[in-house]
Every structure is written in C-alpha cells, then in structure tokens.
Amino acid sequence: MAQAILIAAQAGRALAEAARRAGLRPYVADLFGDSDTLALSEAYRPLPGRFGKPIAADATLAAIDALADAAGSPMGIVLGSGFEDAPGLVARIAKNHRLIGADADAIAALKDPFAFAALCARLGVPHPAIATDALADPSGWLLKRIGGSGGSHIRPATRGPAPDGHYFQIRVPGRPYALNVLADGRTIQVLAVTEQWCMPSPIRPYRYGGALATGAAEAPLLPDALIATVAEAVEKIIAATGLRGLASADFLADGSRWWLTEINPRPGATLDILDRRSTPLLAAHIEASLGARPALGAQPADAAAAQICYAEREHAPVPDFFWPDHVRDRPRPGTVVRRDAPLCTVLALGADRQAALDSLNTRTAQLRAALAAKKTHPEEAL
C-alpha cells in the first residue's frame, strides 16, 4: 500500500493532488474543505480561521494529531501556506511529526523581515529597504504584515510608525517574478522562473492573482544572465539558512536591475503549473528534504498558467455546479463564499505564453458567466 503523508495548509488541495501524483495517500487539514480536496484525501480535518490571517495553533495541532492517528504511520508532514509567521508552531509540530521541508529555524530566518534584510545585506543580495519608524514621505513605501502571504496584507504605507506585527518596505520598480527552486540545504536546482500578477480589490491592491511558466520551447521570461545572478544569490541564502525542499524566491526585475523581496520556504501557489515533469515534485520535495538531489526530468514544452477566481459577489450558498475539468479548489455546494474571497482556481495550457494567458482569461470569463447564470436561473443546466 502507498505510504500516507500528512498535509496542513490554508488551502491543501494542490499539495493533496501533488501527493497523489507522487503515489502517496494524503491526509489533509485546511481552511476550505473544497470538494476536490475531499475527493483527493484519505481523511480530512477542517481548520478554523480565515485565509490570509494567522493560523490557529492549538486547533491545527489537534487536527494534525487526529490525522496522524487515522493514517497510522505517516511518513511525515508537509506544511503549505499559513505557517510563515509561526515558526514556534512549526517547532511544536516537529516534536511529534517528521517535518518534510523547511524547519522552524529556516522559516524564522527567512520570514522575519529584519533578520532576512540583515542576511541579504551580509550576502550582498539586493533587497528593498525596510523600516518600522514613522516615514518622512510614506508615498514611496508599502506596509506589510510580518509573515503575510498572498499579497492581501500589503497596503500603501501610512503616517506614523508601523503597527505591531507590520513593517514598511520601500517601493522599487520592476515586474514581479519568482525563481522556483528545489533546495537540499546547501545548493538549489532551478525549476522555473514564473511571472506573477496581482488581482486588486478596492481594499487589497496587491492581492495575488496568478502565475505563468513558459515552456521549454519558448524563450525564457528574463535574460539568462539575470536568472543566473538571481539563482546565485538565492543559493547563498539557502546555504546560510539550511532550507530544504520546494521554495520560491519572489523578486522584482526592471531591465538589468532586480531586488529580492522574500523567499517562501514551502511548496507555493505555482505547484499546479510546475508539477508536470517526469519526477513528481512532491517526491522531489521529499528527497531534497533528506539532502538528496533528485533527477527532475525535462521541462515541459508548453506554457502553463493558473489564477485565482475571486468571488465578485457573495455566494450564500454556493450552487450545485458542474465545474469544468480545468477548475480546481471547487467549493462544496451549500458552503458560503464571501465577496472578494477566493472562489476557485482556473488552469490553462498553451503553446506559448500568450496562448496560455488567452486561454486562462477566456476560461475565467466563461466560468464567471456560467456561475452568474446558475445563480440567477438555478433550474437551468449549464
């Protein structure tokens, strides 16, 4: 029988799907309990809380322990989003369960913005300046929550000092990208450079929208020399922190200039579009966590893209809906999805970057139209 693996994250479906592709049996705890997450899971436990907010420690520990009991002898636990600001919780989890991926020390070193800024300065890695004291001119700065993920926590800077648990980061030019890597605690293997975009709402101007990876048959998104420079810098940080497993380094690039903004020490939102090689990425994540350098296989020839479809209005409840095959994170009928909350994820492939983006946008628009029709006329089949 395939080995069991524990998964805990704000949204666990992508990790559960990756586990199945790697021949593992996932036992999942997350916030949403989407229908495809439940279908993929051997067992499931809900977590309390809201997407983008600090995770509930005691409830999370109880859910993980319950899943471990159900699994019998799981090989370990993979943590997804939601643990960036909780290295203490990660350390508590590690007392009873084998961590696969970043440990508490690596998370603390990478996600404490002041420790990370100091590390970048020591290693000569370009990183936007940060501050907590009142700014002379806030218009050139952003306000971020320590350990935040998904971009919803980012705001224009305000007057006065940064609130508790927040910090200011200076604005720098450039477009957002991520260097997606597999780390063994010393070195990295580059999986892909992905471009990213925001999907702003009136109160969340930097909310994460989606990501795209070009295929092997297409020119890279950035010059090879710039990618090599970023990769060299990221590898220095990996060696300094001992990070293992899948990770992504977010950076802004403007011509030949670039700035590293953060490193996400976990499998990220790009897992759906990157897990298409001959070696399943979760299997590679496990091997790298043991200090190995697994063979990854060739990069796919076609481009892939994914974006979050946020609810344009409240779905209370979500209708019984026939979700297309290219939609993931499908909310269960009868659940409530608030306006501007994540509704689902849309995927698309294409012969090149533009074809993938065109397909992604068309599919998202068609999905919104179908949902609107279903909401208005629930008796009509789609």
Side-chain angles (χ1 to χ4, degrees):
M1 179 182 291
Q3 284 189 287
I5 190 166
L6 307 178
I7 291 168
Q10 290 186 117
R13 188 274 317 159
L15 284 168
E17 192 167 334
R20 289 292 182 186
R21 183 168 186 259
L24 302 170
R25 297 183 294 119
Y27 289 72
V28 181
D30 81 353
L31 296 175
F32 296 101
D34 290 326
S35 59
D36 44 353
T37 304
L38 298 182
L40 290 161
S41 304
E42 291 284 322
Y44 174 83
R45 294 293 185 276
L47 297 179
R50 294 178 58 189
F51 186 75
K53 300 296 183 182
I55 202 160
D58 290 342
T60 299
L61 288 168
I64 292 170
D65 289 344
L67 288 172
D69 289 342
S73 299
M75 66 184 305
I77 183 166
V78 176
L79 301 177
S81 64
F83 293 87
E84 291 88 350
D85 61 347
L89 173 58
V90 174
R92 292 173 67 187
I93 293 170
K95 289 181 179 180
N96 295 321
H97 308 283
R98 176 189 172 200
L99 282 179
I100 299 173
D103 62 18
D105 289 341
I107 293 172
L110 293 168
K111 300 310 292 184
D112 179 321
F114 309 102
F116 185 64
L119 178 61
C120 287
R122 178 167 66 84
L123 297 176
V125 176
H127 174 65
I130 63 172
T132 55
D133 294 336
L135 304 166
D137 180 11
S139 64
W141 296 72
L142 298 170
L143 177 67
K144 294 186 171 185
R145 181 172 67 80
I146 295 174
S149 61
S152 293
H153 63 100
I154 304 173
R155 307 281 194 278
T158 54
R159 295 199 174 275
D164 288 344
H166 292 73
Y167 65 101
F168 299 120
Q169 186 175 82
I170 198 168
R171 296 175 186 262
V172 293
R175 297 185 61 182
Y177 298 91
L179 185 79
N180 300 270
V181 303
L182 185 68
D184 63 6
R186 304 174 306 279
T187 62
I188 62 171
Q189 295 183 75
V190 175
L191 298 171
V193 173
T194 52
E195 65 175 294
Q196 303 179 92
W197 57 89
C198 295
M199 199 166 288
S201 74
I203 62 171
R204 297 179 177 87
Y206 298 97
R207 182 177 65 176
Y208 175 80
L212 176 139
T214 56
E218 189 175 5
L221 293 167
L222 293 168
D224 289 341
L226 178 59
I227 296 173
T229 300
V230 176
E232 181 181 3
V234 171
E235 190 165 70
K236 290 179 182 178
I237 294 173
I238 297 304
T241 60
L243 176 65
R244 296 186 178 192
L246 292 167
S248 57
D250 292 343
F251 66 99
L252 296 168
D254 179 35
S256 61
R257 300 181 301 168
W258 68 279
W259 296 264
L260 181 67
T261 55
E262 63 181 331
I263 291 182
N264 300 303
R266 56 175 172 79
T270 53
L271 188 57
D272 282 322
I273 61 176
L274 296 181
D275 193 14
R276 301 186 299 131
R277 297 179 183 234
S278 56
T279 299
L281 282 190
L282 204 66
H285 179 64
I286 294 167
E287 287 190 52
S289 297
L290 298 174
R293 282 181 63 88
L296 295 173
Q299 181 183 358
D302 52 355
Q307 69 183 1
I308 298 176
C309 180
Y310 291 95
E312 293 183 328
R313 63 172 182 274
E314 181 174 297
H315 294 266
V318 172
D320 189 2
F321 186 75
F322 181 78
W323 298 97
D325 290 341
H326 53 261
V327 173
R328 302 288 192 277
D329 305 314
R330 306 167 183 175
R332 286 171 288 121
T335 56
V336 174
V337 177
R338 304 296 182 189
R339 180 178 179 179
D340 287 331
L343 178 63
C344 60
T345 302
V346 182
L347 309 179
L349 300 176
D352 55 25
R353 172 186 177 277
Q354 194 57 54
L357 285 175
D358 289 346
S359 176
L360 185 68
N361 292 328
T362 297
R363 286 176 167 183
T364 303
Q366 290 174 341
L367 177 66
R368 290 193 182 281
L371 280 166
K374 186 72 173 179
K375 184 73 173 178
T376 305
H377 305 289
E379 73 282 358
E380 294 182 4
L382 295 174

